[in-house]
């Protein structure tokens, strides 16, 4: 579904396309995309995953430097809006867990058995002296039952009276159990407060797996020395257990950072290393599909990786990007594989821009360098950068190695007010993998002969 941001992006695309005087078919052929795909871009029905084909389109249409910058800004906002809409749709499709209300505890029955049927009152003949009746005395708090001899009653007790007394004794024995259950209603097995995991398990009716119960807390001196008062109900005598302490979830990062392109300078000069001979390597796809193609063949980035990061704030509050750190996971000898170029028919390459990262250095870092945007030169600009929801920032990185096989990832160091943090950047959930191509056999695909032709590197 089109968004307001994608409509703004498409409007500028249509303006450039109409001004060029070229048809969709001609432009699509030069961009190596289908005519219907380019038509969807210009109608706002789709947003390209990478800016590289749009940058080439702007050049073909004779866009000025200001128009190219504005087009890039609108693409970033449209791409971020598309990601948000996809996340919202996935969240809406997720089934909502229904929680049943916790059943209320049933009141204890007055007696544990069926009520005795009334018997006709018949006079009993006088017999031997009545045996001694034992009164049952129960301490409600401690649950201790004590026997004490009751005084003789001068009158005779009937069989019905005996049954009533027995029922009263059963009720008296049941009261301590109910009182103890009421007193421990807000506590765990050890009398301490319940953990949130236990509370959630009871609330939703789930079975708590073994090993998730909290460790018993140390007994409080006040609780151990307190004694019950002589009167009042059990709930009045014993203070209620404290409610479980809920920890606030960690605050989300105030900005989003993602890879917006793996070859921001176009397909020219891009190589992948494959552990395959030229005869078994299929024809390369369009430039924007080259990375998935190489991934299916088990390839890794060869030599240079022109990586483009896009940082966008989540609110109008400014967030400062202080640095980009390079974290090397592993480094070894370069792979003994064959290099394949993705830039068939390209002209001169674009000057590496913005930041240069040398993976062969003992401690690689992002070094600011000059670059180009359109026909204009861009001077080197070091950190910090400020970003917000309406002011995104693009970081162009030229990551390269000439002598090693390296796995690595990036960390974005940010701060906002009194908050700060680091955001890791991976290659689809795993570290990036780059290997040198210097001295390796290299091939380029010839479209006229449909074969891979040997190059010199």
């Amino acid at each position: 579904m089109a968004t307001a941001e994608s409509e703004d992006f498409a409007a500028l695309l249509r303006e450039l396309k109409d001004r060029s005087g070229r048809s969709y078919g001609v432009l699509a052929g030069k961009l190596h995309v289908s005519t219907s795909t380019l038509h969807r871009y210009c109608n706002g029905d789709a947003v390209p995953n990478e800016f590289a084909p749009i940058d080439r389109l702007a050049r073909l249409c004779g866009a000025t430097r200001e128009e190219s910058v504005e087009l890039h800004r609108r693409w970033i906002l449209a791409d971020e809006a598309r990601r948000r809409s996809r996340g919202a749709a996935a969240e809406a499709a997720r089934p909502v867990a229904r929680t049943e209300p916790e059943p209320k505890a049933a009141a204890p029955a007055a007696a544990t058995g069926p009520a005795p049927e009334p018997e006709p009152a018949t006079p009993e003949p006088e017999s031997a002296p009545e045996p001694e009746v034992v009164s049952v005395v129960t301490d409600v708090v401690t649950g201790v039952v004590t026997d004490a001899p009751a005084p003789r009653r001068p009158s005779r007790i009937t069989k019905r009276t005996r049954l009533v007394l027995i029922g009263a004794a059963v009720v008296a024995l049941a009261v301590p159990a109910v009182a103890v259950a009421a007193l421990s209603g807000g506590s765990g097995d050890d009398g301490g407060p319940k953990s949130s995991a236990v509370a959630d398990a009871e609330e939703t009716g789930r079975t708590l797996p073994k090993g998730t119960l909290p460790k018993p807390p140390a007994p409080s001196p006040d609780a151990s020395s307190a004694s019950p008062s002589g009167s009042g109900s059990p709930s009045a005598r014993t203070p209620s257990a404290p409610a479980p302490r809920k920890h606030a979830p960690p605050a989300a990062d105030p900005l989003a950072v993602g890879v917006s392109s793996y070859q921001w300078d176009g397909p020219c000069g891009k190589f992948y290393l494959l552990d395959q001979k030229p005869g078994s390597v299929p024809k390369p796809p369009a430039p924007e599909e080259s990375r998935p193609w190489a991934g299916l063949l088990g390839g890794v980035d060869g030599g240079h990786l022109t990586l483009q990061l896009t940082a966008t704030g989540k609110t109008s509050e400014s967030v400062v990007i202080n640095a980009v750190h390079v974290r090397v996971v592993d480094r070894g000898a370069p792979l003994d594989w064959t290099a394949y170029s993705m830039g068939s028919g390209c002209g001169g390459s674009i000057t590496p821009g913005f930041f240069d990262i040398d993976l062969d250095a003992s401690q690689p870092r992002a070094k600011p360098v000059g670059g180009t945007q359109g026909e204009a030169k861009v001077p080197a600009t070091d950190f910090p950068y400020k970003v917000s929801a309406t002011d995104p920032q693009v970081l162009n990185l030229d990551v390269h190695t000439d002598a090693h096989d390296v796995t690595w990832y990036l960390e974005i160091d940010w701060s906002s007010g009194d908050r700060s943090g680091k955001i890791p950047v991976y290659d689809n959930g795993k570290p990036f993998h780059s290997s040198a191509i210097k001295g390796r056999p290299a091939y380029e695909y010839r479209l006229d002969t449909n074969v891979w032709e040997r190059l010199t590197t």
Side-chain angles (χ1 to χ4, degrees), residues 19-185:
R19 195 175 66 194
S20 71
R22 299 181 179 181
S23 66
Y24 283 105
V26 171
L27 292 174
K30 292 183 177 294
L31 296 175
H32 303 286
V33 299
S34 65
T35 303
S36 60
T37 297
L38 181 58
H39 200 270
R40 293 176 65 207
Y41 291 163
C42 293
N43 281 346
D45 295 332
V47 178
N49 293 327
E50 295 188 357
F51 182 71
I54 302 302
D55 183 50
R56 294 197 296 275
L57 175 63
R59 296 183 189 183
L60 289 172
C61 296
T64 64
R65 178 177 180 274
E66 291 74 17
E67 288 173 332
S68 296
V69 171
E70 177 61 18
L71 185 64
H72 199 175
R73 187 188 73 84
R74 294 191 188 188
W75 173 82
I76 292 171
L77 297 178
D79 184 60
E80 184 65 23
R82 177 187 59 182
R83 295 173 190 269
R84 286 198 305 267
S85 61
R86 285 181 179 177
E91 189 68 24
R94 185 178 303 170
V96 179
R98 308 175 80 183
T99 57
E100 298 293 334
E102 188 175 352
K104 296 183 179 180
T112 58
E117 296 182 0
E119 294 184 2
T122 54
E124 295 184 359
E126 295 188 5
S127 57
E130 187 69 24
E132 186 176 325
V133 178
V134 178
S135 63
V136 180
V137 181
T138 306
D139 189 327
V140 176
V141 175
T142 60
V144 179
V145 180
T146 59
D147 297 338
R152 283 183 180 276
R153 296 184 179 179
S155 59
R156 186 183 305 272
I157 299 177
T158 64
K159 181 178 181 182
R160 182 175 181 178
T161 305
R162 291 194 192 97
L163 292 175
V164 171
L165 290 174
I166 293 173
V170 172
V171 172
L173 289 173
V175 168
V178 176
V180 170
L183 290 173
S184 59

